[in-house]
Amino acid sequence: MAAQGEFFAGISKIQYVPSAAAGDVMCFKHYNAEEVLMGRKMEAWLRFSVCYWHSFCGTGADPFGFPTLQRPWNEGTPMESAKKRLGAAFEFFTKLGVKYYTFHDRDMAPEGPTLEETNRNLDEMTDLALQLQCQTGVKVLWVTCNLFAHPRYMNGAATNPDCHVLAYAGAQVKKGLDVAKKLGADNFVFWGGREGFLSTHNTDVAAELKHMANFFRMAVDYKEKIGLKCQFLIEPKPKEPCKHQYDYDAMSVIGFLKHYGLENHFKLNIEPNHTTLAGHCYEHDIVLASAFGMLGSVDSNTGSPDLGWDTDQFPMDIRNTTMVMKTIVEQGGLQPGGLNFDAKVRRESTDLEDLFIAHIGAMDAFARGLRNAVRIIEEGLLARMVKERYSSFSDGIGRKVEEGTASLEEMETFIKQNGEPKVTSGKQEKYESIFNHYI
Ligand code: XLS
Ligand code: NI
Ligand code: NI
């Protein structure tokens, strides 16, 4: 049995109280799950998900300090605490009113001395998880395999120079896909933590990329074989733990997938903290992935752009959430993906209630982002301005360029007839001012 005891005593189901005072942070002031916007319930636009690793496995330890977060579920043998953790997690999901969760195989069940024993642990824990899913209606947004923490993976998993390690990763992913099927996961994520290199001296980059593609192909084959109906997602990140990761950013992954003919089998799980680590602005990879029809899900967090690492903070900035939701609504939603809070409370936020406060604050930030985005889209002013900006492509020579039927000779003839183009203002500040009006 998963532990049923109350871990969050004194906290009941979080309510929507739009009139709540500023200091009341244990209710939603903006997120109203059932409210319909542009023909869809808020909860269906947002598809919030709680992540297991930060919120239930995180201890607050950092490279300089010991754990700071004393969690009541971290007691007993590894399997005993795994069961308590599961009970705590489902109590949290239901009190928060979030319908999805995400986890790594190793978050859910501890690794044993052999693959067989590890898999038995996972079977036992996922039996319990399935029971709790049925009781509560909470579902798996995505599951993933941890192919980076164990020492065997120090030189990579699918890109390891030793095929014995690659084979271990393959065996682990096979089990991960079985688990995804058993729990009815909507998606399966591949994050290439150590798929990259620290030095080009000892690395055959071309071989590693090909091995990674072939590894993904094996996963696609097995998924089809077992009739697993879920979306495969790759999560880009430029560095950390590797100096250079192959899945650097959205465009690198899209190029990789297209090069190896895998683009129809995968979409992207974009994490904005990774985007900013790659040197881009917050919404860059969301916008780029969506432009290619490849935005599958979002690990909604934020970093501190003044730092060079993945701080995985809760997303609280309304400008950012508005930009993200505008892109998501414009592409018609994120389903079967969602907004997964791959975010952790600070190691200094030591109260259990801080876990609630963080999620509630971020959900409200996204609800506001959604409301803002809907107003921007329904009023259509910005979209009309952008359309007008590109209007020269709707007829004449522009239409031919648009359709890909124009030639350089025609460009030359056009310029001889029409001379210099006139200088046109980009009006950036006008766009920014209008955007701010909706925030
Ligand atoms: C790490 C990643 C990781 C993935 C899942 O930076 O964000 O948590 O989301 O392996
Ligand atoms: Ni992530
Ligand atoms: Ni991350």
Side-chain angles (χ1 to χ4, degrees):
M1 269 300 287
Q4 296 289 316
E6 272 221 321
F7 290 92
F8 302 96
I11 297 175
S12 40
K13 178 112 199 324
I14 304 301
Q15 303 293 326
Y16 172 56
V17 189
S19 60
D24 190 354
V25 289
M26 288 295 276
C27 61
F28 299 116
K29 301 189 188 76
H30 303 273
Y31 177 59
N32 184 16
E34 296 293 315
E35 186 179 330
V36 174
L37 291 168
M38 285 181 73
R40 199 176 287 180
K41 285 183 184 173
M42 266 189 145
E43 66 172 6
W45 279 121
L46 296 164
R47 293 173 61 83
F48 289 129
S49 162
V50 173
C51 91
Y52 218 86
W53 54 101
H54 287 313
S55 289
F56 297 97
C57 305
T59 64
D62 75 5
F64 305 95
F66 301 123
T68 56
L69 307 175
Q70 303 303 324
R71 303 304 198 201
W73 48 86
N74 286 334
E75 275 171 11
T77 65
M79 277 304 272
E80 282 164 4
S81 72
K83 289 174 192 172
K84 293 199 178 104
R85 179 175 302 123
L86 186 70
F90 274 79
E91 182 187 336
F92 185 80
F93 307 151
T94 44
K95 286 186 169 173
L96 187 62
V98 160
K99 299 266 174 70
Y100 298 93
Y101 72 111
T102 54
F103 67 97
H104 300 82
D105 46 2
R106 304 302 178 244
D107 306 332
M108 175 66 69
E111 198 152 353
T114 62
L115 182 68
E116 289 83 349
E117 216 166 303
T118 301
N119 287 351
R120 268 198 299 280
N121 289 345
L122 203 49
D123 288 338
E124 191 180 336
M125 288 308 303
T126 50
D127 283 347
L128 298 173
L130 190 57
Q131 280 173 22
L132 288 169
Q133 286 183 210
C134 294
Q135 278 166 32
T136 59
V138 172
K139 294 171 63 185
V140 177
L141 183 70
W142 52 258
V143 54
T144 185
C145 287
N146 183 326
L147 301 174
F148 46 89
H150 193 282
R152 81 172 75 85
Y153 295 127
M154 69 179 185
N155 290 305
T159 62
N160 199 291
D162 180 358
C163 190
H164 196 140
V165 180
L166 183 149
Y168 207 105
Q172 192 177 329
V173 166
K174 175 178 179 289
K175 183 67 180 176
L177 296 174
D178 290 336
V179 164
K181 179 158 192 209
K182 171 175 172 181
L183 298 184
D186 280 351
N187 304 268
F188 188 93
V189 164
F190 295 89
W191 170 59
R194 295 187 196 271
E195 314 294 20
F197 54 79
L198 285 95
S199 167
T200 49
H201 290 305
N202 64 2
T203 308
D204 184 340
V205 169
E208 292 197 354
L209 284 167
K210 190 164 125 197
H211 299 164
M212 187 161 82
N214 289 342
F215 188 88
F216 284 142
R217 206 159 280 127
M218 289 188 244
V220 169
D221 287 346
Y222 188 68
K223 174 187 179 224
E224 283 169 4
K225 184 170 171 201
I226 63 173
L228 169 62
K229 302 261 173 288
C230 79
Q231 173 70 57
F232 273 180
L233 300 167
I234 295 182
E235 181 176 326
K237 186 176 183 181
K239 57 185 170 186
E240 195 204 88
C242 273
K243 182 170 105 93
H244 177 92
Q245 283 172 213
Y246 292 128
D247 301 329
Y248 195 90
D249 61 2
M251 287 309 287
S252 309
V253 174
I254 291 170
F256 167 86
L257 289 171
K258 287 190 188 278
H259 180 80
Y260 289 101
L262 290 162
E263 71 270 25
N264 296 329
H265 300 288
F266 291 84
K267 286 192 174 180
L268 271 53
N269 179 38
I270 299 296
E271 179 169 320
N273 197 164
H274 298 176
T275 307
T276 53
L277 274 184
H280 304 305
C281 69
Y282 188 90
E283 67 271 17
H284 180 278
D285 274 10
I286 303 254
V287 171
L288 265 289
S290 183
F292 282 83
M294 301 281 275
L295 178 64
S297 202
V298 176
D299 265 4
S300 36
N301 67 6
T302 193
S304 289
D306 49 338
L307 292 177
W309 67 92
D310 198 12
T311 55
D312 290 331
Q313 289 162 238
F314 279 85
M316 297 284 187
D317 182 320
I318 313 298
R319 180 232 170 248
N320 289 342
T321 60
T322 304
M323 288 301 296
V324 171
M325 288 317 298
K326 179 171 175 286
T327 306
I328 290 174
V329 175
E330 280 170 349
Q331 73 162 34
L334 215 43
Q335 62 288 346
L339 298 174
N340 172 51
F341 291 119
D342 188 352
K344 59 185 173 202
V345 291
R346 300 303 83 196
R347 73 192 294 270
E348 302 81 10
S349 300
T350 49
D351 293 340
L352 267 186
E353 71 158 16
D354 293 327
L355 268 180
F356 275 93
I357 294 171
H359 283 88
I360 294 167
M363 289 163 76
D364 260 354
F366 265 95
R368 287 175 71 179
L370 172 62
R371 288 184 198 282
N372 295 342
V374 164
R375 279 175 61 222
I376 291 171
I377 291 165
E378 283 184 338
E379 290 181 20
L381 176 57
L382 286 172
R384 282 194 297 278
M385 283 164 59
V386 173
K387 187 153 182 256
E388 175 59 26
R389 194 161 184 238
Y390 291 86
S391 59
S392 65
F393 288 89
S394 47
D395 50 34
I397 188 126
R399 175 116 222 119
K400 292 194 81 179
V401 171
E402 187 73 33
E403 288 164 353
T405 57
S407 68
L408 290 183
E409 291 91 325
E410 287 170 87
M411 300 296 112
E412 185 186 49
T413 308
F414 180 84
I415 293 305
K416 283 183 176 163
Q417 283 164 1
N418 294 278
E420 271 300 314
K422 77 173 191 334
V423 171
T424 312
S425 171
K427 292 264 177 266
Q428 180 176 324
E429 300 78 5
K430 180 175 176 186
Y431 283 83
E432 288 168 341
S433 303
I434 293 172
F435 180 82
N436 277 351
H437 168 81
Y438 293 100
I439 302 297

